[in-house]
Amino acid sequence: MKKNNAKLIIFTGPSGVGKGTILSDFFKKADNNIVYSISNTTRKPRDGEINGMHYYFISKDEFENLIKQDAFLEYATYSGNYYGTNKKFVDEKIKEGKSVLLEIELQGALNVMKKRPDAVTIFIKPPTFEELEKRLRGRHSESEESIKKRLETAKEELKHTDKFHYVIENDKVEKAVDELIEIYNRETKSNV
Ligand code: 5GP
């Protein structure tokens, strides 16, 4: 029989690399012992994004109040907006025996690694930087200024892949999803 060990899983990678697509397929294939942590952000919703599903979209004042209340496991500013992980949600789910997946940028990931050294850390990288730029532009969801900022940040993020337990290259989505499933099973299931 397999025993389930709840783990905190950090999933990081540059904007445009395809994290959203990978995760949406991953959650369709994974068992129900893992949940996605819905972050708070001050960024405006994109077309099709739903409050309470993709993010909790809140104001800067609301976000800063939550910082004062120590409600975040981590938070960071990214491309001029705040993003943060709800500490209570993470702790409650882990206590219930569920693994929790955080999809967060590098600074937040490094902060969580310090606070929760037992977290499993995964970095998702593009096949090449040129391919990343192509994907980011192909999304048509950002202004030129935002694309430039995201590419600059990506360059920095890609220098830190060695700090992660696992690096997955997103060349083919299906393959990346299979790798993620394999890591999840290896890290959370043990024989009893
Ligand atoms: P986007 O605006 O494209 O949805 O997200 C921008 C970046 O913020 C992505 O790299 C995403 O992983 C990251 N992000 C989303 N939620 C959080 C969070 O709660 N904390 C941190 N540190 N980063 C986050």
Side-chain angles (χ1 to χ4, degrees):
M1 211 180 80
K2 293 273 182 192
K3 183 176 176 287
N4 177 58
N5 306 304
K7 291 270 175 75
L8 183 60
I9 300 177
I10 302 175
F11 192 71
T12 298
S15 181
V17 75
K19 287 172 294 186
T21 314
I22 293 172
L23 288 184
S24 129
D25 287 359
F26 168 77
F27 277 101
K28 279 180 208 146
K29 285 188 173 177
D31 62 17
N32 58 7
N33 284 321
I34 180 160
V35 291
Y36 179 77
S37 158
I38 303 167
S39 297
N40 292 274
T41 183
T42 58
R43 166 168 80 61
K44 297 278 166 288
R46 296 188 187 120
D47 276 355
E49 280 185 333
I50 298 164
N51 189 36
M53 185 172 151
H54 297 96
Y55 282 107
Y56 294 107
F57 296 100
I58 62 176
S59 68
K60 192 163 171 258
D61 279 356
E62 285 171 311
F63 200 103
E64 287 174 348
N65 266 329
L66 289 171
I67 297 175
K68 277 187 209 141
Q69 290 164 29
D70 195 26
F72 294 120
L73 172 60
E74 63 72 37
Y75 71 93
T77 37
Y78 179 94
S79 266
N81 286 299
Y82 280 126
Y83 294 81
T85 303
N86 183 327
K87 184 161 62 183
K88 194 162 162 239
F89 175 85
V90 171
D91 289 343
E92 280 178 2
K93 291 295 165 190
I94 300 266
K95 238 189 237 161
E96 284 171 24
K98 303 267 185 206
S99 291
V100 180
L101 189 140
L102 309 182
E103 194 251 274
I104 59 178
E105 52 66 70
L106 180 72
Q107 288 313 315
L110 297 178
N111 285 335
V112 179
M113 285 179 203
K114 271 187 229 137
K115 286 186 185 169
R116 308 280 166 102
D118 54 336
V120 177
T121 60
I122 304 167
F123 191 95
I124 174 97
K125 70 169 190 179
T128 60
F129 192 77
E130 290 68 34
E131 176 62 23
L132 180 71
E133 178 163 5
K134 206 171 109 194
R135 289 183 194 173
L136 199 50
R137 290 189 183 283
R139 225 160 62 167
H140 301 296
S141 60
E142 306 313 309
S143 64
E144 183 58 28
E145 192 198 342
S146 169
I147 289 174
K148 287 222 168 88
K149 262 194 205 165
R150 281 166 188 257
L151 285 171
E152 256 170 52
T153 309
K155 242 181 218 157
E156 191 51 40
E157 289 181 323
L158 285 162
K159 289 182 193 157
H160 295 266
T161 55
D162 60 338
K163 300 194 171 67
F164 289 74
H165 295 125
Y166 300 97
V167 178
I168 300 177
E169 184 178 307
N170 186 20
D171 187 5
K172 296 253 180 317
V173 174
E174 219 172 280
K175 195 167 148 269
V177 174
D178 285 347
E179 274 182 57
L180 184 57
I181 291 271
E182 201 187 303
I183 294 168
Y184 166 61
N185 286 334
R186 186 182 320 144
E187 291 287 345
T188 63
K189 320 280 182 240
S190 57
N191 289 314
V192 285

